[in-house]
């Protein structure tokens, strides 16, 4: 049955207001990134009096933005790949097998999400420093240490989320693969993983976003060489001035990979996040 006209008009008005609420900050960022610094620092004008692409050129030399961008890609990409790989094996074991301590393991994995991240900052800092002093492995101030740090947050939720998705994949597929001669790993990679692509994509997006925009640990666990974008953008604020137009330009540029990834993976992401909602 079609909804009444009043509901359709209310829906249109609500969606229009919601769209404006979402796009308004984007317009402010875009217009500010195309203004000279004097115009951005002064009274805000909705219609710029003059446009320039100079901020998009100067932002690469004001701070080493390319290096920060590369560090973020390496750290976020590595954390994502490791989270997905480990979560697939762990979730498959929890979903398909019964073993002693299974309930304790699942509750422990989920309970780690209750604690704020700042509680782990000092313990991880001391742990990395002591490991470096004892073994010579430089975890503090390195990309590898930051990747391990992000795994402590993304991996538990990834395991829990992917376990719920694998529970919705019929076990008859595994049994059919075993009858056809596949081993447990063969059934996992040939049958279960292709069927769980939406859930894996949702886990990958979550892990990537967790690492891409994290500020607290990146500001403590990195140095000038390994600094990521989330912290490096602070370099546009100096003692003498704040380059607002370059900050806006850099923010738009570094958002392109994330937005493009969301648009490409949107279909899988929605399917993965809604898995198990309807039986």
């Amino acid at each position: 049955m079609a909804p009444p006209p009043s509901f359709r008009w209310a829906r249109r008005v609500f969606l229009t207001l919601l769209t404006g609420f979402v796009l308004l900050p984007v317009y402010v960022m875009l217009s500010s990134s195309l203004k000279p610094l004097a115009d951005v620092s002064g009274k805000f004008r909705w219609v710029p009096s003059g446009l320039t692409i100079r901020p998009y050129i100067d932002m690469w030399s004001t701070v080493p933005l390319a290096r920060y961008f590369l560090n973020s890609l390496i750290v976020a990409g590595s954390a994502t790949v490791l989270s997905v790989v480990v979560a697939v094996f762990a979730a498959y074991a929890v979903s398909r097998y019964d073993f002693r301590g299974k309930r304790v393991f699942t509750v422990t994995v989920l309970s780690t999400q209750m604690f704020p991240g700042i509680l782990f900052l000092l313990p991880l800092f001391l742990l990395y420093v002591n490991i470096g002093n004892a073994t010579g492995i430089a975890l503090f101030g390195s990309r590898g240490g930051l990747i391990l740090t992000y795994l402590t947050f993304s991996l538990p939720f990834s395991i829990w989320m992917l376990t719920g998705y694998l529970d919705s994949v019929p076990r008859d597929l595994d049994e059919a693969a075993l009858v056809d001669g596949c081993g447990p790993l063969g059934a996992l990679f040939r049958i279960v993983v292709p069927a769980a692509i939406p859930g894996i994509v949702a886990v990958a997006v979550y892990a990537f976003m967790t690492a891409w925009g994290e500020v607290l640990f990146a500001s403590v666990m990195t140095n000038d060489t390994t600094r990521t974008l989330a912290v490096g953008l602070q370099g546009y604020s100096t003692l003498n001035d704040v380059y607002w137009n370059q900050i806006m330009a850099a923010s738009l540029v570094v958002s392109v990979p994330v937005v493009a990834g969301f648009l490409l993976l949107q279909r899988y992401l929605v399917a993965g996040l809604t898995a198990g909602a309807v039986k």
Side-chain angles (χ1 to χ4, degrees), residues 175-236:
E175 297 175 357
L178 295 176
V179 171
D180 290 339
C182 289
L185 291 180
L188 171 63
F189 290 111
R190 296 184 180 183
I191 303 298
V192 178
V193 168
I197 289 298
I200 294 175
V201 170
V203 167
V205 171
Y206 166 79
F208 185 85
M209 293 303 301
T210 300
W212 184 263
E214 201 279 327
V215 176
L216 176 62
F217 288 89
S219 61
V220 177
M221 299 292 187
T222 59
N223 51 34
D224 294 337
T225 305
T226 59
R227 191 164 294 159
T228 59
L229 281 171
V231 181
L233 291 179
Q234 300 177 5
Y236 291 105

Side-chain angles (χ1 to χ4, degrees), residues 60-93:
W60 301 100
S61 56
T62 302
V63 300
L65 186 64
R67 185 174 65 201
Y68 298 157
F69 192 84
L70 179 61
N71 291 335
S72 293
L73 284 179
I74 294 175
V75 171
S78 300
T80 300
V81 172
L82 291 175
S83 294
V84 170
V85 171
V86 176
V88 165
F89 285 103
Y92 182 70

Side-chain angles (χ1 to χ4, degrees), residues 71-250:
N71 291 335
S72 293
L73 284 179
I74 294 175
V75 171
S78 300
T80 300
V81 172
L82 291 175
S83 294
V84 170
V85 171
V86 176
V88 165
F89 285 103
Y92 182 70
V94 173
S95 176
R96 292 300 193 264
Y97 298 99
D98 291 326
F99 52 88
R100 181 176 298 178
K102 175 180 177 179
R103 183 174 180 82
V104 175
F105 173 77
T106 54
V107 172
T108 302
V109 167
L110 188 58
S111 63
T112 58
Q113 303 300 305
M114 297 187 304
F115 302 99
I118 194 171
L119 292 180
F120 299 96
L121 181 59
L122 183 58
L124 286 175
F125 172 78
L126 297 176
L127 184 63
Y128 288 174
V129 171
N130 291 330
I131 290 176
N133 295 333
T135 64
I137 300 176
L139 293 177
F140 177 74
S142 66
R143 296 170 180 167
L146 195 59
I147 292 171
L148 290 177
T149 301
Y150 291 154
L151 284 177
T152 61
F153 300 101
S154 61
L155 191 55
F157 184 81
S158 299
I159 294 174
W160 177 78
M161 183 176 179
L162 198 54
T163 299
Y165 191 88
L166 293 185
D167 287 340
S168 66
V169 177
R171 297 195 178 189
D172 296 340
L173 298 177
D174 303 47
E175 297 175 357
L178 295 176
V179 171
D180 290 339
C182 289
L185 291 180
L188 171 63
F189 290 111
R190 296 184 180 183
I191 303 298
V192 178
V193 168
I197 289 298
I200 294 175
V201 170
V203 167
V205 171
Y206 166 79
F208 185 85
M209 293 303 301
T210 300
W212 184 263
E214 201 279 327
V215 176
L216 176 62
F217 288 89
S219 61
V220 177
M221 299 292 187
T222 59
N223 51 34
D224 294 337
T225 305
T226 59
R227 191 164 294 159
T228 59
L229 281 171
V231 181
L233 291 179
Q234 300 177 5
Y236 291 105
S237 177
T238 64
L239 295 176
N240 300 324
D241 210 340
V242 179
Y243 299 97
W244 291 110
N245 52 350
Q246 297 184 35
I247 293 177
M248 299 301 174

